[in-house]
Amino acid sequence: MCYNPGTAPTMNAKRKDREKGVAGEHTPLAERMRPRAFDRVYGQDHILGRGRLLSELIDSNRLVSIIFWGPPGSGKTTLGSMLARHFDLPCEFFSAVLSGIKEVKEFMARAEQQRKLFGKPMVLFIDEIHRFNKAQQAAFLPYVEKGDIILFGSTTENPSFEVIAPLLSRTRVLVLKELDREALSRIVRDALEDGERGLGASGLAIDPGGLDMLIDFANGDARRALNTLEIAAGLARTGTITGENVQEALQRRTLFYDKSGEEHFNLISALHKSLRNSDVDASLYWLVRMLASGEDPLYVARRIVRFASEDVGLADPQALALTLQAKDAYDFLGSPEGELALAEAVVYLAAAPKSNRIYAAYGAVQREVERSPHEPVPLAIRNAVTSLMKEVGYGKDYQYAHDSALATTDMETMPERLRSRRFYEPGPLGFEKEIRKRIEWWEGLKARLRDGKGAGKPGEGEGGDKP
């Protein structure tokens, strides 16, 4: 098991107890029941079966840096911990939600020294690695390249979009699947039968109705299934866990919410994805779930402002203004009155036309700038502040758009190598249809000017259409 530096000094003692088979009194069942052998990792045969990637790494005794991508409770942390133990490498666990990059850098410096002394790398496990920004992720690169660390990262988000390309190229991505009913049934059965770490000493069984309800609620998440099973087992008054016990356990967990933990991110993800899918009622439901569970309304306000830019964009330019007004209204009114302003913004966003074209265009430009950060500025649009600059051509042939009756010119303003590139493509919905018309109108004018044909009346383009 990876050592987690954020869990106080008792972690080592608890870890040793678990390795001896002692179920710590306060250790959750889901933690106690983490598999110790690869054949007890269920539902991931596509990576663990004979001839599959993970099995090949184990058989060849060759460990590489890995990004584990999969839904919550699918076994990402468990597999990383088991691999570190199998290869007998020291391992430390950090959460990108709870740990700062400073702590991680301190670990990597220690790992560098350890490798010089003992010739073995250390395993660095970063949970929710996508929550580190690009600059923070880049800090791992030299240590991975030198072999000082083996990097394990877990994420519920697509690493192609959330992990920087240089880091992604130096790791293998393992895609874990959501656990199916058979896998969850086996996990529950193991927990009920295991007398050392599980509930075997209690002699409890679970009836079919209770098992079905438990698996339905778990939704592919082993941790959720085992934590609910543990509560239900404490409620059972006979030797069988019934559907009523499971139902009561679920009711006790309904509004469980940890603002720094997984459920926090599950609920904000649910809100964001319901908005993106234009589901008004689901969006309102997840908003109220978060607020009823104690979430900071201003955190929600920041998230919906981000959504307005990222997922609505110029399909409805009013969305950004409305979400900022909702934030200001909450600031002014406070709870509970101000929460209605957030609800108003959420309904507006869900019903608005959607476009991520600005988000995509910005990302495309970022990637271009990273690839070629030194493209020269065309001489015509350089700032000529000295006579020497003017002599070497700064500002030469600059054309002031307002001197033209058409308020534009055929002057090139893009670096020469990129003149044929188009980063932003307006979508087909909402106001972006109008933006497309405007872009095409301006491009038509510029083309006519380049062809030397001039243009018609001021404010008119091809066919006399106005922008």
Side-chain angles (χ1 to χ4, degrees):
M1 183 67 187
C2 285
Y3 169 59
N4 183 343
T7 54
T10 56
M11 171 61 83
N12 279 335
K14 288 183 178 180
R15 179 178 56 177
K16 290 175 182 176
D17 284 346
R18 288 198 300 273
E19 289 172 352
K20 294 175 183 175
V22 177
E25 182 181 354
H26 302 295
T27 305
L29 180 62
E31 181 66 25
R32 302 197 310 264
M33 287 303 300
R34 286 190 185 276
R36 294 173 175 172
F38 290 107
D39 61 2
R40 288 303 181 101
V41 177
Y42 304 132
Q44 308 299 343
D45 291 344
H46 62 292
I47 57 174
L48 276 167
R50 178 176 290 276
R52 301 297 184 178
L53 176 58
L54 205 53
S55 296
E56 289 293 317
L57 288 177
I58 294 167
D59 293 341
S60 65
N61 199 35
R62 182 173 59 89
L63 189 57
V64 298
S65 293
I66 298 172
I67 301 294
F68 298 93
W69 173 28
S74 56
K76 301 183 293 294
T77 303
T78 294
L79 279 174
S81 301
M82 290 174 70
L83 282 170
R85 187 161 56 242
H86 176 82
F87 284 91
D88 192 26
L89 293 175
C91 172
E92 287 197 24
F93 178 99
F94 292 86
S95 167
V97 177
L98 303 177
S99 304
I101 193 65
K102 180 182 177 183
E103 301 167 78
V104 178
K105 286 182 175 178
E106 289 172 355
F107 166 81
M108 291 190 292
R110 292 199 309 273
E112 185 177 31
Q113 292 302 315
Q114 286 281 104
R115 187 162 181 266
K116 288 177 181 177
L117 290 171
F118 304 109
K120 293 174 65 174
M122 296 177 72
V123 174
L124 170 62
F125 195 115
I126 303 291
D127 188 33
E128 303 277 2
I129 192 171
H130 60 278
R131 299 197 182 279
F132 279 144
N133 63 35
K134 291 183 177 182
Q136 291 170 326
Q137 291 180 30
F140 303 133
L141 287 172
Y143 297 93
V144 172
E145 288 176 337
K146 289 187 297 181
D148 295 328
I149 64 170
I150 298 290
L151 177 66
F152 288 170
S154 69
T155 178
T156 55
E157 304 292 332
N158 188 333
S160 298
F161 303 120
E162 304 294 344
V163 178
I164 60 172
L167 190 58
L168 206 57
S169 69
R170 291 161 175 81
T171 60
R172 300 296 297 270
V173 176
L174 289 186
V175 182
L176 278 70
K177 296 179 179 178
E178 181 180 282
L179 299 181
D180 59 20
R181 299 186 72 85
E182 180 184 354
L184 288 171
S185 296
R186 295 175 73 183
I187 289 168
V188 170
R189 184 173 65 246
D190 284 355
L192 290 170
E193 294 175 354
D194 191 315
E196 293 183 346
R197 298 179 295 147
L199 304 172
S202 67
L204 287 169
I206 186 168
D207 68 23
L211 180 62
D212 284 343
M213 186 181 298
L214 184 66
I215 291 173
D216 286 341
F217 168 76
N219 195 30
D221 185 332
R223 187 185 305 108
R224 184 179 294 182
L226 289 173
N227 287 340
T228 306
L229 176 67
E230 187 170 28
I231 297 172
L235 297 170
R237 295 178 178 83
T238 65
T240 302
I241 299 170
T242 65
E244 288 76 13
N245 299 143
V246 175
Q247 181 67 46
E248 188 175 350
L250 294 177
Q251 289 174 353
R252 293 191 179 196
R253 291 175 57 85
T254 297
L255 289 182
F256 168 75
Y257 190 74
D258 176 0
K259 285 191 280 186
S260 64
E262 178 185 325
E263 195 68 5
H264 163 83
F265 294 108
N266 285 341
L267 291 186
I268 193 60
S269 175
L271 173 60
H272 200 114
K273 289 169 183 173
S274 298
L275 287 169
R276 183 180 290 150
N277 206 43
S278 302
D279 191 326
V280 171
D281 294 311
S283 300
L284 268 178
Y285 172 78
W286 294 117
L287 169 70
V288 175
R289 270 282 299 273
M290 293 184 74
L291 296 176
S293 301
E295 182 56 81
D296 179 2
L298 287 176
Y299 171 79
V300 178
R302 288 193 296 273
R303 295 294 301 211
I304 62 177
V305 169
R306 171 188 167 180
F307 182 90
S309 298
E310 183 176 323
D311 285 276
V312 176
L314 289 173
D316 186 345
Q318 290 302 313
L320 181 57
L322 188 71
T323 52
L324 288 169
Q325 290 166 5
K327 186 270 294 182
D328 290 342
Y330 181 82
D331 265 343
F332 182 67
L333 294 172
S335 292
E337 293 88 349
E339 292 167 7
L340 285 176
L342 299 180
E344 179 181 338
V346 162
V347 169
Y348 187 95
L349 291 174
K354 305 298 187 295
S355 172
N356 71 341
R357 301 300 178 97
I358 291 293
Y359 178 77
Y362 189 83
V365 174
Q366 278 187 315
R367 290 189 292 274
E368 182 60 52
V369 170
E370 287 171 2
R371 282 195 295 265
S372 54
H374 304 297
E375 289 293 328
V377 176
L379 286 171
I381 58 173
R382 293 190 188 185
N383 189 25
V385 295
T386 69
S387 57
L388 177 60
M389 290 177 174
K390 292 177 182 177
E391 287 174 15
V392 297
Y394 282 34
K396 184 182 180 182
D397 299 326
Y398 172 67
Q399 302 175 56
Y400 185 56
H402 292 293
D403 285 344
S404 165
L406 300 172
T408 190
T409 74
D410 62 348
M411 178 177 61
E412 291 285 1
T413 53
M414 186 73 96
E416 184 174 0
R417 189 181 65 83
L418 301 176
R419 285 179 184 172
S420 62
R421 288 291 300 275
R422 171 172 284 185
F423 295 106
Y424 172 61
E425 289 284 354
L429 301 177
F431 191 71
E432 281 198 317
K433 290 187 293 186
E434 177 63 25
I435 291 175
R436 178 178 291 277
K437 290 179 184 177
R438 294 184 181 187
I439 290 173
E440 291 173 351
W441 186 85
W442 287 113
E443 288 179 344
L445 283 185
K446 292 173 186 291
R448 291 176 63 191
L449 289 169
R450 281 193 294 271
D451 291 342
K453 296 177 181 177
K457 299 176 183 178
E460 294 184 350
E462 295 285 332
D465 295 330
K466 294 182 179 180

